[in-house]
Structure formats: C-alpha cells, structure tokens
Amino acid sequence: MKNDELVERLNWRYAVKRFDPNKKISPDDMSALEESLRLAPSSYGLQPWRFHVIASQDVKDKLRAHSWNQPQISECSHLVVISARQNMAVTDVERYLDRIVEVRGTDPAELEILKGMMLGSHKTAVEGGFLNEWAARQCFIALGFLLNSAAVLGIDACPMEGFVPEEYDRELGISDEGYFPVVACAIGYRDESEDWLSKLDKVRYDKDEVFRRV
C-alpha cells in the first residue's frame, strides 16, 4: 500500500453511527480482523485481554439495551467486546514465559532475566494499585489495531465505551473467565442514508499544532 492510499483509507474511516444491518462481513475478512487483534502489541507481550466476537442478533439486541440504546450495537455485522485480565497473577506471567519456550524453543534458563523484570513490574503494579488499569490500557492498543485494519479493508467501525460493564458481564459471562469489559467496537458497513455523519469532513487540528519534532 502506498502512503497516499493509507492516508486515504484513514480519512475515509469515521466512527459510524448507523450500520446497514443487511450487509455482513465475510468470513475471510472477519478472520483477518481477528488476526489483527491477536497480533496487536502489548506490554511485555503479555496480552492481558480477551475478545468476545458477537454475530448473534439476539445477543446484540440484548446488549443494545445496556448500551444507551445506541443503534450501532444491534445494526452492526459483528460486535467485538474487548476485556482486560482481572488481577493478573504471577501465574499469568509464567504462562506467557512457557509460551515463549513452546513457540521459539527457548531454553527457560535464558528467560530468567526477563522473568525477573516482568515479575518486578507486576509487583510494582500490584503494590501501586494500578494493575487492572494497566491491563485496561493494553486493550486500547488492540482496539487501535482493529480500527486501522478495518479501515484498510474498507470495513466500517465504531469504538464504544457507552455501555454498562456489569450488564455486559452478565450477558457474556466475562468475569467468569477472569476478565472485565473495557471497550466495545461495532464493525460492519455504513448506512449512508441514515448516518448524517457519513458525508461530513473529518475535523482534526493542523499538524503544526499537534506535532513537536525534535
């Protein structure tokens, strides 16, 4: 993809307010979007998240009632709910290190320095009371990957924090898996006839106001 093509896709992207409920994302495209989430970076590579990908109309309709009745929830092709690991434990760090050994064939002894760093950071986060906040911030990195990947594929999206986490948890059983809902993203295809924002110019500050180059 050329530079101008990338910028064009990002200018095309906006937070869709009305989706066409009759247009569905193909299985191949959905698989690629799921990979964009799986491949997203996270601190230390720990991936403290879980993704609920919801295509069921019945479930989407139920969640809309807990999302200030926003139509994107029920009209989109798929709803992705991104949740963070609740109270990540030392065993989560050890599990990831085991995964490194499994994937790369690394000698566990070579990971001792990394393990010490990770456990030290974990201890600091626990004692500082910001462990779950850290996990939640990682979720927004994954969200950014999803939004950009969707734009490149010509798929619309709308990131959404306007929902009742406790009700999402009740509907999806998120806390049963040791996670808590952080942010949702409706994905699909815009309904230009119903979405008044679709024809408006994107409003951003000029580069010289937001960039400082050193």
Short mmCIF file of all heavy atoms in Angstrom, two decimals, residues 74-141:
data_model
loop_
_atom_site.label_atom_id
_atom_site.label_comp_id
_atom_site.label_asym_id
_atom_site.label_seq_id
_atom_site.Cartn_x
_atom_site.Cartn_y
_atom_site.Cartn_z
N SER A 74 -26.87 -3.14 17.62
CA SER A 74 -27.71 -4.17 17.01
C SER A 74 -27.64 -4.16 15.48
O SER A 74 -27.94 -5.17 14.84
CB SER A 74 -29.17 -4.00 17.46
OG SER A 74 -29.66 -2.72 17.11
N GLU A 75 -27.24 -3.04 14.88
CA GLU A 75 -27.22 -2.95 13.42
C GLU A 75 -25.92 -3.44 12.80
O GLU A 75 -25.89 -3.79 11.61
CB GLU A 75 -27.47 -1.50 12.98
CG GLU A 75 -28.87 -1.00 13.29
CD GLU A 75 -29.08 0.45 12.90
OE1 GLU A 75 -28.08 1.14 12.58
OE2 GLU A 75 -30.24 0.90 12.91
N CYS A 76 -24.84 -3.48 13.58
CA CYS A 76 -23.56 -3.87 13.02
C CYS A 76 -23.53 -5.34 12.62
O CYS A 76 -24.36 -6.14 13.07
CB CYS A 76 -22.43 -3.58 14.02
SG CYS A 76 -22.48 -4.61 15.49
N SER A 77 -22.56 -5.69 11.79
CA SER A 77 -22.39 -7.09 11.41
C SER A 77 -21.89 -7.90 12.59
O SER A 77 -22.42 -8.96 12.92
CB SER A 77 -21.40 -7.19 10.24
OG SER A 77 -21.07 -8.53 9.96
N HIS A 78 -20.85 -7.39 13.25
CA HIS A 78 -20.27 -8.05 14.41
C HIS A 78 -19.96 -7.00 15.48
O HIS A 78 -19.59 -5.87 15.16
CB HIS A 78 -18.96 -8.76 14.06
CG HIS A 78 -19.13 -9.93 13.15
ND1 HIS A 78 -19.48 -9.80 11.82
CD2 HIS A 78 -18.97 -11.27 13.37
CE1 HIS A 78 -19.53 -11.00 11.26
NE2 HIS A 78 -19.23 -11.91 12.17
N LEU A 79 -20.09 -7.40 16.72
CA LEU A 79 -19.70 -6.55 17.84
C LEU A 79 -18.54 -7.23 18.55
O LEU A 79 -18.63 -8.40 18.92
CB LEU A 79 -20.87 -6.36 18.81
CG LEU A 79 -20.57 -5.49 20.05
CD1 LEU A 79 -20.34 -4.04 19.64
CD2 LEU A 79 -21.70 -5.60 21.06
N VAL A 80 -17.46 -6.48 18.72
CA VAL A 80 -16.29 -7.01 19.43
C VAL A 80 -16.21 -6.34 20.79
O VAL A 80 -16.15 -5.11 20.88
CB VAL A 80 -14.99 -6.75 18.64
CG1 VAL A 80 -13.78 -7.31 19.41
CG2 VAL A 80 -15.07 -7.38 17.25
N VAL A 81 -16.23 -7.14 21.84
CA VAL A 81 -16.08 -6.63 23.20
C VAL A 81 -14.69 -7.02 23.67
O VAL A 81 -14.33 -8.20 23.71
CB VAL A 81 -17.15 -7.21 24.15
CG1 VAL A 81 -16.95 -6.68 25.56
CG2 VAL A 81 -18.55 -6.86 23.64
N ILE A 82 -13.90 -6.00 24.01
CA ILE A 82 -12.51 -6.23 24.44
C ILE A 82 -12.46 -6.11 25.96
O ILE A 82 -12.82 -5.08 26.53
CB ILE A 82 -11.56 -5.21 23.78
CG1 ILE A 82 -11.72 -5.25 22.25
CG2 ILE A 82 -10.12 -5.51 24.18
CD1 ILE A 82 -10.87 -4.22 21.52
N SER A 83 -12.00 -7.18 26.60
CA SER A 83 -11.95 -7.23 28.05
C SER A 83 -10.52 -7.40 28.53
O SER A 83 -9.68 -7.97 27.83
CB SER A 83 -12.81 -8.40 28.56
OG SER A 83 -14.15 -8.25 28.14
N ALA A 84 -10.25 -6.92 29.74
CA ALA A 84 -8.92 -6.97 30.32
C ALA A 84 -8.84 -8.04 31.41
O ALA A 84 -9.84 -8.35 32.07
CB ALA A 84 -8.53 -5.61 30.90
N ARG A 85 -7.66 -8.58 31.60
CA ARG A 85 -7.43 -9.57 32.65
C ARG A 85 -7.63 -8.92 34.02
O ARG A 85 -7.08 -7.86 34.29
CB ARG A 85 -6.01 -10.11 32.54
CG ARG A 85 -5.71 -11.27 33.51
CD ARG A 85 -6.35 -12.54 33.01
NE ARG A 85 -5.92 -13.70 33.75
CZ ARG A 85 -6.63 -14.29 34.74
NH1 ARG A 85 -7.80 -13.79 35.10
NH2 ARG A 85 -6.16 -15.35 35.35
N GLN A 86 -8.44 -9.55 34.83
CA GLN A 86 -8.72 -9.06 36.17
C GLN A 86 -7.65 -9.58 37.14
O GLN A 86 -7.44 -10.79 37.26
CB GLN A 86 -10.10 -9.54 36.64
CG GLN A 86 -10.50 -9.10 38.03
CD GLN A 86 -11.07 -7.70 38.05
OE1 GLN A 86 -11.84 -7.32 37.15
NE2 GLN A 86 -10.71 -6.94 39.04
N ASN A 87 -6.95 -8.63 37.78
CA ASN A 87 -5.96 -9.00 38.80
C ASN A 87 -4.97 -10.04 38.27
O ASN A 87 -4.84 -11.15 38.82
CB ASN A 87 -6.65 -9.52 40.06
CG ASN A 87 -7.58 -8.49 40.67
OD1 ASN A 87 -7.28 -7.30 40.67
ND2 ASN A 87 -8.71 -8.94 41.18
N MET A 88 -4.28 -9.68 37.20
CA MET A 88 -3.29 -10.59 36.63
C MET A 88 -2.35 -11.12 37.71
O MET A 88 -1.86 -10.36 38.54
CB MET A 88 -2.50 -9.88 35.54
CG MET A 88 -1.35 -10.71 34.98
SD MET A 88 -0.51 -9.90 33.61
CE MET A 88 -1.60 -10.32 32.26
N ALA A 89 -2.11 -12.42 37.67
CA ALA A 89 -1.31 -13.07 38.70
C ALA A 89 0.07 -13.44 38.20
O ALA A 89 0.35 -13.38 36.99
CB ALA A 89 -2.04 -14.33 39.19
N VAL A 90 0.93 -13.83 39.11
CA VAL A 90 2.26 -14.29 38.75
C VAL A 90 2.16 -15.48 37.79
O VAL A 90 2.97 -15.62 36.87
CB VAL A 90 3.04 -14.69 40.01
CG1 VAL A 90 4.33 -15.43 39.65
CG2 VAL A 90 3.37 -13.45 40.85
N THR A 91 1.14 -16.31 37.98
CA THR A 91 0.97 -17.47 37.10
C THR A 91 0.70 -17.06 35.66
O THR A 91 1.02 -17.80 34.73
CB THR A 91 -0.17 -18.37 37.60
OG1 THR A 91 -1.36 -17.56 37.81
CG2 THR A 91 0.20 -19.04 38.91
N ASP A 92 0.11 -15.86 35.46
CA ASP A 92 -0.12 -15.38 34.09
C ASP A 92 1.21 -15.04 33.42
O ASP A 92 1.40 -15.28 32.22
CB ASP A 92 -1.02 -14.14 34.11
CG ASP A 92 -2.44 -14.47 34.53
OD1 ASP A 92 -3.07 -15.32 33.87
OD2 ASP A 92 -2.93 -13.88 35.52
N VAL A 93 2.12 -14.46 34.20
CA VAL A 93 3.46 -14.16 33.68
C VAL A 93 4.17 -15.45 33.33
O VAL A 93 4.78 -15.59 32.25
CB VAL A 93 4.27 -13.36 34.72
CG1 VAL A 93 5.71 -13.15 34.22
CG2 VAL A 93 3.61 -12.01 35.00
N GLU A 94 4.10 -16.43 34.22
CA GLU A 94 4.77 -17.71 33.99
C GLU A 94 4.17 -18.43 32.78
O GLU A 94 4.91 -19.09 32.02
CB GLU A 94 4.66 -18.57 35.25
CG GLU A 94 5.44 -17.99 36.43
CD GLU A 94 5.18 -18.72 37.72
OE1 GLU A 94 4.12 -19.42 37.81
OE2 GLU A 94 6.01 -18.61 38.64
N ARG A 95 2.88 -18.32 32.60
CA ARG A 95 2.23 -18.95 31.45
C ARG A 95 2.76 -18.36 30.14
O ARG A 95 2.99 -19.09 29.17
CB ARG A 95 0.72 -18.77 31.55
CG ARG A 95 -0.07 -19.30 30.36
CD ARG A 95 -1.57 -19.22 30.64
NE ARG A 95 -2.34 -19.64 29.50
CZ ARG A 95 -2.89 -18.80 28.61
NH1 ARG A 95 -2.75 -17.49 28.76
NH2 ARG A 95 -3.59 -19.26 27.59
N TYR A 96 2.95 -17.05 30.11
CA TYR A 96 3.47 -16.42 28.90
C TYR A 96 4.91 -16.86 28.63
O TYR A 96 5.29 -17.12 27.48
CB TYR A 96 3.39 -14.89 29.00
CG TYR A 96 4.01 -14.20 27.81
CD1 TYR A 96 3.47 -14.37 26.54
CD2 TYR A 96 5.14 -13.41 27.96
CE1 TYR A 96 4.05 -13.76 25.43
CE2 TYR A 96 5.72 -12.80 26.85
CZ TYR A 96 5.18 -12.97 25.60
OH TYR A 96 5.75 -12.38 24.50
N LEU A 97 5.71 -16.96 29.68
CA LEU A 97 7.07 -17.42 29.50
C LEU A 97 7.10 -18.85 28.98
O LEU A 97 7.92 -19.20 28.12
CB LEU A 97 7.83 -17.32 30.83
CG LEU A 97 8.09 -15.90 31.33
CD1 LEU A 97 8.61 -15.92 32.76
CD2 LEU A 97 9.06 -15.17 30.42
N ASP A 98 6.18 -19.67 29.46
CA ASP A 98 6.06 -21.04 28.94
C ASP A 98 5.70 -21.03 27.46
O ASP A 98 6.15 -21.89 26.70
CB ASP A 98 5.00 -21.81 29.73
CG ASP A 98 5.43 -22.15 31.14
OD1 ASP A 98 6.64 -22.10 31.42
OD2 ASP A 98 4.55 -22.45 31.98
N ARG A 99 4.89 -20.05 27.07
CA ARG A 99 4.50 -19.94 25.66
C ARG A 99 5.70 -19.56 24.79
O ARG A 99 5.83 -20.04 23.66
CB ARG A 99 3.38 -18.91 25.53
CG ARG A 99 2.87 -18.70 24.11
CD ARG A 99 2.22 -19.94 23.54
NE ARG A 99 1.58 -19.65 22.25
CZ ARG A 99 1.23 -20.57 21.37
NH1 ARG A 99 1.43 -21.85 21.64
NH2 ARG A 99 0.66 -20.22 20.23
N ILE A 100 6.57 -18.72 25.32
CA ILE A 100 7.80 -18.37 24.58
C ILE A 100 8.63 -19.63 24.33
O ILE A 100 9.13 -19.86 23.22
CB ILE A 100 8.63 -17.33 25.36
CG1 ILE A 100 7.88 -15.99 25.44
CG2 ILE A 100 10.00 -17.13 24.70
CD1 ILE A 100 8.60 -14.94 26.26
N VAL A 101 8.77 -20.43 25.38
CA VAL A 101 9.54 -21.67 25.25
C VAL A 101 8.90 -22.58 24.21
O VAL A 101 9.58 -23.18 23.37
CB VAL A 101 9.62 -22.39 26.61
CG1 VAL A 101 10.25 -23.77 26.45
CG2 VAL A 101 10.41 -21.55 27.61
N GLU A 102 7.56 -22.67 24.23
CA GLU A 102 6.84 -23.54 23.30
C GLU A 102 6.99 -23.09 21.85
O GLU A 102 7.25 -23.89 20.95
CB GLU A 102 5.36 -23.56 23.68
CG GLU A 102 4.49 -24.39 22.74
CD GLU A 102 3.01 -24.27 23.05
OE1 GLU A 102 2.65 -23.59 24.04
OE2 GLU A 102 2.20 -24.85 22.30
N VAL A 103 6.86 -21.78 21.61
CA VAL A 103 6.86 -21.25 20.25
C VAL A 103 8.27 -21.14 19.68
O VAL A 103 8.51 -21.48 18.50
CB VAL A 103 6.16 -19.87 20.20
CG1 VAL A 103 6.33 -19.22 18.83
CG2 VAL A 103 4.68 -20.02 20.54
N ARG A 104 9.22 -20.69 20.50
CA ARG A 104 10.57 -20.40 20.00
C ARG A 104 11.59 -21.48 20.34
O ARG A 104 12.73 -21.44 19.83
CB ARG A 104 11.05 -19.06 20.55
CG ARG A 104 10.21 -17.88 20.09
CD ARG A 104 10.67 -16.60 20.73
NE ARG A 104 9.91 -15.44 20.24
CZ ARG A 104 9.98 -14.22 20.78
NH1 ARG A 104 10.78 -14.00 21.82
NH2 ARG A 104 9.27 -13.24 20.28
N GLY A 105 11.22 -22.41 21.20
CA GLY A 105 12.19 -23.41 21.61
C GLY A 105 13.29 -22.86 22.49
O GLY A 105 14.39 -23.41 22.54
N THR A 106 13.00 -21.76 23.16
CA THR A 106 14.00 -21.11 24.01
C THR A 106 14.28 -21.93 25.26
O THR A 106 13.37 -22.51 25.86
CB THR A 106 13.48 -19.71 24.42
OG1 THR A 106 13.13 -18.97 23.24
CG2 THR A 106 14.54 -18.95 25.20
N ASP A 107 15.53 -21.94 25.67
CA ASP A 107 15.90 -22.57 26.93
C ASP A 107 15.33 -21.71 28.07
O ASP A 107 15.61 -20.50 28.13
CB ASP A 107 17.42 -22.63 27.04
CG ASP A 107 17.90 -23.34 28.30
OD1 ASP A 107 17.11 -23.49 29.26
OD2 ASP A 107 19.09 -23.72 28.35
N PRO A 108 14.53 -22.27 28.97
CA PRO A 108 13.95 -21.48 30.06
C PRO A 108 14.98 -20.69 30.86
O PRO A 108 14.68 -19.60 31.35
CB PRO A 108 13.27 -22.55 30.93
CG PRO A 108 12.93 -23.64 29.98
CD PRO A 108 14.09 -23.68 29.01
N ALA A 109 16.18 -21.22 30.96
CA ALA A 109 17.22 -20.53 31.71
C ALA A 109 17.57 -19.18 31.09
O ALA A 109 17.98 -18.25 31.79
CB ALA A 109 18.48 -21.41 31.79
N GLU A 110 17.38 -19.07 29.76
CA GLU A 110 17.69 -17.82 29.07
C GLU A 110 16.65 -16.74 29.35
O GLU A 110 16.86 -15.57 29.00
CB GLU A 110 17.78 -18.06 27.56
CG GLU A 110 18.91 -19.01 27.16
CD GLU A 110 18.93 -19.25 25.66
OE1 GLU A 110 18.15 -18.57 24.94
OE2 GLU A 110 19.71 -20.10 25.20
N LEU A 111 15.55 -17.12 29.95
CA LEU A 111 14.46 -16.17 30.20
C LEU A 111 14.44 -15.67 31.63
O LEU A 111 13.53 -14.93 32.01
CB LEU A 111 13.11 -16.83 29.87
CG LEU A 111 12.92 -17.29 28.42
CD1 LEU A 111 11.60 -18.04 28.28
CD2 LEU A 111 12.96 -16.10 27.47
N GLU A 112 15.41 -16.05 32.44
CA GLU A 112 15.39 -15.70 33.85
C GLU A 112 15.48 -14.19 34.07
O GLU A 112 14.80 -13.64 34.95
CB GLU A 112 16.51 -16.41 34.60
CG GLU A 112 16.24 -17.88 34.86
CD GLU A 112 14.96 -18.09 35.67
OE1 GLU A 112 14.80 -17.43 36.71
OE2 GLU A 112 14.12 -18.89 35.23
N ILE A 113 16.30 -13.50 33.29
CA ILE A 113 16.41 -12.05 33.45
C ILE A 113 15.09 -11.38 33.07
O ILE A 113 14.59 -10.50 33.79
CB ILE A 113 17.57 -11.49 32.60
CG1 ILE A 113 18.91 -12.01 33.13
CG2 ILE A 113 17.54 -9.96 32.60
CD1 ILE A 113 20.11 -11.57 32.31
N LEU A 114 14.52 -11.80 31.94
CA LEU A 114 13.22 -11.26 31.52
C LEU A 114 12.17 -11.55 32.57
O LEU A 114 11.35 -10.68 32.91
CB LEU A 114 12.82 -11.86 30.17
CG LEU A 114 11.42 -11.49 29.66
CD1 LEU A 114 11.31 -10.00 29.45
CD2 LEU A 114 11.10 -12.26 28.37
N LYS A 115 12.17 -12.76 33.10
CA LYS A 115 11.19 -13.14 34.13
C LYS A 115 11.30 -12.22 35.34
O LYS A 115 10.29 -11.75 35.88
CB LYS A 115 11.40 -14.59 34.55
CG LYS A 115 10.42 -15.08 35.61
CD LYS A 115 10.66 -16.55 35.94
CE LYS A 115 9.68 -17.03 36.99
NZ LYS A 115 9.88 -18.48 37.32
N GLY A 116 12.53 -11.93 35.75
CA GLY A 116 12.72 -11.04 36.90
C GLY A 116 12.19 -9.65 36.64
O GLY A 116 11.56 -9.03 37.51
N MET A 117 12.41 -9.14 35.44
CA MET A 117 11.90 -7.82 35.08
C MET A 117 10.37 -7.80 35.09
O MET A 117 9.75 -6.88 35.61
CB MET A 117 12.42 -7.42 33.70
CG MET A 117 13.90 -7.16 33.62
SD MET A 117 14.47 -6.89 31.92
CE MET A 117 13.43 -5.51 31.43
N MET A 118 9.78 -8.82 34.50
CA MET A 118 8.33 -8.88 34.42
C MET A 118 7.69 -9.01 35.79
O MET A 118 6.70 -8.34 36.10
CB MET A 118 7.91 -10.04 33.51
CG MET A 118 8.33 -9.87 32.07
SD MET A 118 8.10 -11.36 31.07
CE MET A 118 6.32 -11.37 30.90
N LEU A 119 8.26 -9.87 36.64
CA LEU A 119 7.71 -10.03 37.98
C LEU A 119 7.91 -8.78 38.81
O LEU A 119 7.07 -8.44 39.65
CB LEU A 119 8.35 -11.25 38.66
CG LEU A 119 8.01 -12.61 38.05
CD1 LEU A 119 8.73 -13.72 38.79
CD2 LEU A 119 6.49 -12.84 38.07
N GLY A 120 9.02 -8.07 38.56
CA GLY A 120 9.24 -6.81 39.26
C GLY A 120 8.20 -5.77 38.87
O GLY A 120 7.67 -5.05 39.73
N SER A 121 7.91 -5.69 37.59
CA SER A 121 6.89 -4.74 37.12
C SER A 121 5.51 -5.13 37.66
O SER A 121 4.71 -4.27 38.03
CB SER A 121 6.86 -4.71 35.59
OG SER A 121 8.06 -4.21 35.07
N HIS A 122 5.24 -6.43 37.68
CA HIS A 122 3.96 -6.90 38.21
C HIS A 122 3.83 -6.53 39.68
O HIS A 122 2.77 -6.04 40.12
CB HIS A 122 3.87 -8.42 38.04
CG HIS A 122 2.63 -9.02 38.61
ND1 HIS A 122 2.57 -9.51 39.90
CD2 HIS A 122 1.38 -9.20 38.09
CE1 HIS A 122 1.36 -9.96 40.15
NE2 HIS A 122 0.62 -9.79 39.07
N LYS A 123 4.88 -6.72 40.47
CA LYS A 123 4.86 -6.38 41.90
C LYS A 123 4.61 -4.90 42.09
O LYS A 123 3.82 -4.48 42.96
CB LYS A 123 6.19 -6.79 42.53
CG LYS A 123 6.29 -6.58 44.04
CD LYS A 123 7.60 -7.16 44.56
CE LYS A 123 7.69 -7.04 46.07
NZ LYS A 123 7.90 -5.64 46.51
N THR A 124 5.27 -4.07 41.28
CA THR A 124 5.08 -2.62 41.37
C THR A 124 3.64 -2.23 41.08
O THR A 124 3.06 -1.39 41.77
CB THR A 124 6.02 -1.90 40.39
OG1 THR A 124 7.38 -2.19 40.74
CG2 THR A 124 5.80 -0.40 40.43
N ALA A 125 3.06 -2.85 40.05
CA ALA A 125 1.68 -2.54 39.68
C ALA A 125 0.70 -2.98 40.76
O ALA A 125 -0.28 -2.29 41.06
CB ALA A 125 1.33 -3.20 38.35
N VAL A 126 0.95 -4.14 41.36
CA VAL A 126 0.07 -4.62 42.42
C VAL A 126 0.15 -3.70 43.63
O VAL A 126 -0.86 -3.27 44.18
CB VAL A 126 0.44 -6.07 42.82
CG1 VAL A 126 -0.31 -6.49 44.08
CG2 VAL A 126 0.14 -7.03 41.68
N GLU A 127 1.37 -3.38 44.06
CA GLU A 127 1.55 -2.54 45.24
C GLU A 127 1.06 -1.12 44.99
O GLU A 127 0.59 -0.45 45.91
CB GLU A 127 3.02 -2.54 45.65
CG GLU A 127 3.51 -3.90 46.16
CD GLU A 127 4.98 -3.92 46.49
OE1 GLU A 127 5.69 -2.94 46.12
OE2 GLU A 127 5.44 -4.89 47.10
N GLY A 128 1.16 -0.66 43.74
CA GLY A 128 0.70 0.69 43.41
C GLY A 128 -0.79 0.78 43.14
O GLY A 128 -1.33 1.87 42.99
N GLY A 129 -1.45 -0.37 43.05
CA GLY A 129 -2.89 -0.39 42.86
C GLY A 129 -3.34 -0.07 41.45
O GLY A 129 -4.50 0.31 41.25
N PHE A 130 -2.45 -0.22 40.46
CA PHE A 130 -2.83 0.13 39.09
C PHE A 130 -2.72 -1.05 38.13
O PHE A 130 -2.66 -0.87 36.91
CB PHE A 130 -2.01 1.31 38.57
CG PHE A 130 -0.51 1.12 38.59
CD1 PHE A 130 0.14 0.47 37.56
CD2 PHE A 130 0.25 1.60 39.65
CE1 PHE A 130 1.52 0.30 37.57
CE2 PHE A 130 1.63 1.43 39.67
CZ PHE A 130 2.27 0.79 38.63
N LEU A 131 -2.71 -2.27 38.66
CA LEU A 131 -2.57 -3.44 37.80
C LEU A 131 -3.70 -3.55 36.79
O LEU A 131 -3.47 -3.76 35.60
CB LEU A 131 -2.51 -4.71 38.66
CG LEU A 131 -2.34 -6.04 37.89
CD1 LEU A 131 -1.01 -6.05 37.14
CD2 LEU A 131 -2.41 -7.22 38.85
N ASN A 132 -4.95 -3.40 37.24
CA ASN A 132 -6.09 -3.52 36.32
C ASN A 132 -6.16 -2.34 35.36
O ASN A 132 -6.58 -2.49 34.21
CB ASN A 132 -7.39 -3.65 37.11
CG ASN A 132 -7.52 -5.00 37.78
OD1 ASN A 132 -6.89 -5.98 37.37
ND2 ASN A 132 -8.33 -5.07 38.82
N GLU A 133 -5.73 -1.16 35.82
CA GLU A 133 -5.69 0.00 34.93
C GLU A 133 -4.69 -0.24 33.80
O GLU A 133 -4.94 0.09 32.64
CB GLU A 133 -5.30 1.25 35.71
CG GLU A 133 -5.21 2.51 34.86
CD GLU A 133 -4.72 3.71 35.65
OE1 GLU A 133 -4.71 3.64 36.89
OE2 GLU A 133 -4.33 4.70 35.01
N TRP A 134 -3.55 -0.82 34.16
CA TRP A 134 -2.54 -1.16 33.14
C TRP A 134 -3.12 -2.14 32.13
O TRP A 134 -2.96 -1.96 30.91
CB TRP A 134 -1.31 -1.77 33.82
CG TRP A 134 -0.41 -2.48 32.86
CD1 TRP A 134 0.57 -1.91 32.09
CD2 TRP A 134 -0.42 -3.87 32.52
NE1 TRP A 134 1.16 -2.87 31.29
CE2 TRP A 134 0.58 -4.09 31.55
CE3 TRP A 134 -1.17 -4.96 32.96
CZ2 TRP A 134 0.83 -5.34 31.00
CZ3 TRP A 134 -0.91 -6.21 32.42
CH2 TRP A 134 0.08 -6.40 31.46
N ALA A 135 -3.82 -3.17 32.61
CA ALA A 135 -4.40 -4.16 31.71
C ALA A 135 -5.42 -3.52 30.78
O ALA A 135 -5.49 -3.84 29.59
CB ALA A 135 -5.03 -5.29 32.51
N ALA A 136 -6.21 -2.60 31.32
CA ALA A 136 -7.23 -1.93 30.51
C ALA A 136 -6.59 -1.09 29.41
O ALA A 136 -7.09 -1.04 28.28
CB ALA A 136 -8.12 -1.06 31.40
N ARG A 137 -5.47 -0.45 29.72
CA ARG A 137 -4.81 0.38 28.69
C ARG A 137 -4.33 -0.48 27.53
O ARG A 137 -4.32 -0.03 26.38
CB ARG A 137 -3.63 1.15 29.32
CG ARG A 137 -4.04 2.28 30.22
CD ARG A 137 -2.91 3.28 30.39
NE ARG A 137 -1.75 2.68 31.05
CZ ARG A 137 -1.50 2.72 32.36
NH1 ARG A 137 -2.36 3.32 33.16
NH2 ARG A 137 -0.41 2.17 32.86
N GLN A 138 -3.92 -1.69 27.81
CA GLN A 138 -3.48 -2.57 26.73
C GLN A 138 -4.61 -2.84 25.74
O GLN A 138 -4.39 -3.01 24.54
CB GLN A 138 -2.95 -3.90 27.29
CG GLN A 138 -1.92 -3.78 28.39
CD GLN A 138 -0.77 -2.86 28.03
OE1 GLN A 138 -0.07 -3.07 27.03
NE2 GLN A 138 -0.55 -1.84 28.85
N CYS A 139 -5.83 -2.87 26.26
CA CYS A 139 -7.00 -3.16 25.41
C CYS A 139 -7.18 -2.09 24.34
O CYS A 139 -7.65 -2.39 23.23
CB CYS A 139 -8.26 -3.26 26.27
SG CYS A 139 -8.30 -4.72 27.34
N PHE A 140 -6.81 -0.85 24.66
CA PHE A 140 -6.96 0.21 23.67
C PHE A 140 -5.92 0.13 22.57
O PHE A 140 -6.15 0.62 21.46
CB PHE A 140 -6.94 1.57 24.37
CG PHE A 140 -8.20 1.86 25.12
CD1 PHE A 140 -8.31 1.56 26.47
CD2 PHE A 140 -9.31 2.39 24.47
CE1 PHE A 140 -9.48 1.79 27.16
CE2 PHE A 140 -10.49 2.63 25.15
CZ PHE A 140 -10.57 2.33 26.50
N ILE A 141 -4.77 -0.50 22.86
CA ILE A 141 -3.81 -0.77 21.79
C ILE A 141 -4.43 -1.75 20.79
O ILE A 141 -4.36 -1.54 19.57
CB ILE A 141 -2.51 -1.34 22.36
CG1 ILE A 141 -1.86 -0.35 23.33
CG2 ILE A 141 -1.54 -1.71 21.22
CD1 ILE A 141 -0.62 -0.90 24.03
#
